[in-house]
Amino acid sequence: MRSYEAESESGWDVVLPRDGLSLDGVRMAGFRDRAAAGLDLRVLPRPAVVVVIGVGESPFSVEGARGHEDLPSFAAALTPGPARIRAEGVECVEMRLSPRAAYALLGVSPRELDGSVTGLEGLWGRAERQLRERLADAPTWQERLTLVDRFLAERAARAPAMAPEVAAAWDTIVARRGRVRIGDLAAACGWSRKRLWSRFSAQIGLTPKRAAMLVRFDHAARALTAGENAADVALACGYVDQPHLHRDVLTFAGCTPTALASGATSAG
């Protein structure tokens, strides 16, 4: 991770940890809406659990599978379903957790997020409120990021580890950009397809097949939003044809590749 105090980007101040982080599979940054433009975005599925802890007084207004909620902090599942987040005066710490880190840090299986955006207090209880209070009292962004890093390290020290076979299967899916056969994954870890399906789903929150589709979609979505041609993206990302890409984008993003490329939705 790069090391600098802050950068201004489209009206946002973005602060990265100066000294790195204690845990693998965690990316973290502090955000402040310097231009007071407000936040209004649709959340795209991604191969990471996104956790946001608000520092300011205003909550995040979340419209999703559970209806409307005002949340001071939240965790978005790997596939959060149709979800829109709005806020004013945003000041927050955002973390992106790999499934392995999420399994250790959330306190529940990622499957318990139920494909939605969930209030973090419901997962961490009083610890979430105490952390937000400490973040509000911290005088600098670097101290805030250090507080969160230490909090996560303490939780990880008490957490169960993901099964090595599940972790290896996930790493293979990511390394091959979702272009894997589930039978090959099962054979590599010495499990039956049924056992892999069950253990993987419990610890990752998705079936192996769905996880592979998500990773492939993520690469396609990034290419589309970077302005690449849909036909070229379909070929490069391993889709059978352009209609196959269209179906996956519609499934995960709820829009067409053209709409995704034009910025009609946001990855957050």
Side-chain angles (χ1 to χ4, degrees):
M1 182 172 287
R2 289 177 297 173
S3 170
Y4 41 72
E5 180 70 20
E7 63 178 15
S8 294
E9 184 177 292
S10 303
W12 289 81
D13 288 337
V14 183
V15 185
L16 301 179
R18 189 181 286 144
D19 301 317
L21 298 173
S22 301
L23 302 175
D24 292 334
V26 178
R27 296 174 59 194
M28 185 188 307
F31 291 88
R32 183 174 71 90
D33 182 7
R34 176 175 44 80
L39 178 72
D40 185 356
L41 62 85
R42 295 186 184 276
V43 183
L44 278 181
R46 61 172 59 250
V49 173
V50 177
V51 175
V52 175
I53 303 174
V55 179
E57 296 295 326
S58 300
F60 296 92
S61 177
V62 179
E63 295 282 352
R66 304 178 189 216
H68 176 266
E69 296 180 277
D70 288 326
L71 301 172
S73 61
F74 61 85
L78 298 173
T79 54
R84 192 178 193 107
I85 298 175
R86 298 181 176 89
E88 299 292 336
V90 175
E91 200 167 348
C92 68
V93 175
E94 179 190 279
M95 293 163 278
R96 296 185 181 181
L97 310 179
S98 71
R100 187 185 308 196
Y103 182 74
L105 297 172
L106 291 180
V108 299
S109 163
R111 186 165 61 181
E112 299 297 320
L113 297 181
D114 196 28
S116 64
V117 177
T118 302
L120 199 57
E121 186 174 0
L123 302 176
W124 287 348
R126 184 173 63 179
E128 181 270 350
R129 296 191 300 274
Q130 293 173 336
L131 178 59
R132 282 195 293 108
E133 291 169 359
R134 293 172 68 194
L135 290 174
D137 291 339
T140 70
W141 272 108
Q142 290 301 331
E143 289 179 74
R144 287 173 172 173
L145 299 178
T146 298
L147 277 172
V148 177
D149 183 50
R150 289 175 179 168
F151 174 84
L152 296 180
E154 290 171 1
R155 287 188 66 85
R158 305 189 300 268
M162 179 175 285
E165 296 87 351
V166 172
W170 171 262
D171 290 344
T172 298
I173 289 171
V174 171
R176 297 184 182 176
R177 298 191 172 193
R179 301 167 74 170
V180 296
R181 294 180 182 274
I182 307 308
D184 292 342
L185 290 177
C189 65
W191 285 354
S192 67
R193 289 172 60 98
K194 183 177 180 180
R195 187 180 185 191
L196 174 64
W197 199 276
S198 174
R199 297 288 297 278
F200 191 98
S201 300
Q203 297 187 20
I204 298 292
L206 301 173
T207 66
K209 180 178 179 180
R210 187 80 169 172
M213 290 173 62
L214 173 62
V215 169
R216 182 172 58 185
F217 161 79
D218 183 61
H219 284 282
R222 293 177 187 278
L224 288 168
T225 54
E228 295 186 30
N229 178 273
D232 294 337
V233 171
L235 180 63
C237 293
Y239 289 95
V240 174
D241 50 27
Q242 197 169 333
H244 185 196
L245 169 66
H246 183 103
R247 288 193 299 272
D248 263 23
V249 171
L250 192 60
T251 296
F252 282 109
C255 65
T256 65
T258 300
L260 179 62
S262 68
T265 187
S266 173

